[in-house]
Amino acid sequence: MSTTNEESAARVAIVTGGSGGIGSAVARALAADGMAVAVHYSGSAERAEKVVASIQEAGGTAISVSGDVADETAMTALFDTTEERFGGIDVVVNTAGIMLLAPLAEMELDAFDRMHRVNVRGTFVVSQLAARRLRPGGALVNFSTSVTRLQQPTYAAYAATKGAVEAMTLILARELRGRDVTVNAVAPGPTATPLFLDGKSPELVDRIAAASPTERLGTPDDIASAVAFLAGPGGRWVNGQVLYANGGVA
C-alpha cells in the first residue's frame, strides 16, 4: 500500500479495478472532484502506484490497496483500511471485471467460472460491504455493459454476468430505502482501452466505431464522467438505474 498525504478529505471513494483503463480514469475524476480515493488493484502494483502518483501530482489524495475482489476477507480489509485512513466511505465504484469471449457452445466452463467469480461474486461482495458501510449521502456505482442489449455472438457468457450485476444493483437500490444512498450501474459501450484494442485490426476498430451515431469509440474519460455524475451532487436524484454510456450504439 502506498499513500500520498495524511490529510482526510470531506468525501472518500473506493474504486475497485482502479489501476485499469477505465478504473484509473474514474479514480482521477473522483479525485479531481475533491474526493480522497482508495485505488484498488489485484494485479499490477506498478500501475496502481502510477495512478496514485498522478492524483498526488494534481494535488489530490489517494492510497493504493491490493486484494482479490471476490474474496470477502480481502475486501473487508480494503474497506477497513480506507475507513481507518480517511474516516469513512462515501462512494464505491466497481470497475473490476474480466471479459472472456467464445460462442456459448464452445465456452470452457472454467473460463465461465472465472468470469462469474470476478464479475458476479466480486460485485456482490463489494456491494454488500458498501451497503453496510456507505455513509448517508453516499453512492454505489456498479459496472454493466451495453452488450446486454446488443446480443452479439461470443458475448453470451460475459453478458450473462453483467445481467446479474444489473439485477443485484437495481434490487439493492430498493433495499436501501431510507439510507440516503444511491445505487446505480454504468453500462459502457465500446471504449478505447488497451484491453479493448488488443488483438483488433484497425479495420475492425473502425467498423466498431462506426456503429455509434457519434462515429467514434468512447474514451475512459467519457465513462469516468458518467460515474462522477452519479457519485456527485448532480446525481442524487438518480437511483436504481442503468446508465448507458455508449454514444447511442444501442
Side-chain angles (χ1 to χ4, degrees), residues 68-111:
D68 178 353
V69 75
D71 185 297
E72 63 272 27
T73 301
M75 290 302 96
T76 297
L78 166 63
F79 276 69
D80 287 345
T81 297
T82 304
E83 286 184 335
E84 289 165 5
R85 176 64 189 278
F86 299 120
I89 301 167
D90 303 285
V91 173
V92 174
V93 185
N94 270 313
T95 76
I98 60 174
M99 181 172 64
L100 306 173
L101 304 180
L104 189 148
E106 300 171 15
M107 170 67 71
E108 296 288 341
L109 290 179
D110 284 348

Side-chain angles (χ1 to χ4, degrees), residues 108-176:
E108 296 288 341
L109 290 179
D110 284 348
F112 178 77
D113 288 344
R114 282 177 52 210
M115 194 158 45
H116 188 277
R117 185 175 188 279
V118 175
N119 296 358
V120 181
R121 179 186 168 94
T123 299
F124 188 94
V125 166
V126 175
S127 295
Q128 186 177 70
L129 287 163
R132 293 170 177 172
R133 301 208 193 183
L134 280 170
R135 295 188 286 203
L140 169 62
V141 183
N142 288 326
F143 262 66
S144 181
T145 173
S146 290
V147 172
T148 57
R149 301 203 303 190
L150 294 175
Q151 295 87 47
Q152 290 176 301
T154 75
Y155 282 83
Y158 176 67
T161 67
K162 292 303 187 175
V165 168
E166 291 188 10
M168 72 176 78
T169 298
L170 302 186
I171 292 170
L172 180 58
R174 277 74 184 173
E175 291 179 345
L176 294 186

Side-chain angles (χ1 to χ4, degrees), residues 11-110:
R11 281 172 66 78
V12 179
I14 291 173
V15 180
T16 71
S19 64
I22 291 176
S24 61
V26 168
R28 293 185 184 102
L30 297 183
D33 284 345
M35 299 186 198
V37 182
V39 179
H40 160 269
Y41 68 96
S42 62
S44 173
E46 182 180 358
R47 288 205 311 268
E49 295 290 346
K50 288 180 179 178
V51 176
V52 169
S54 69
I55 290 172
Q56 180 181 18
E57 289 165 5
T61 303
I63 61 174
S64 63
V65 187
S66 66
D68 178 353
V69 75
D71 185 297
E72 63 272 27
T73 301
M75 290 302 96
T76 297
L78 166 63
F79 276 69
D80 287 345
T81 297
T82 304
E83 286 184 335
E84 289 165 5
R85 176 64 189 278
F86 299 120
I89 301 167
D90 303 285
V91 173
V92 174
V93 185
N94 270 313
T95 76
I98 60 174
M99 181 172 64
L100 306 173
L101 304 180
L104 189 148
E106 300 171 15
M107 170 67 71
E108 296 288 341
L109 290 179
D110 284 348

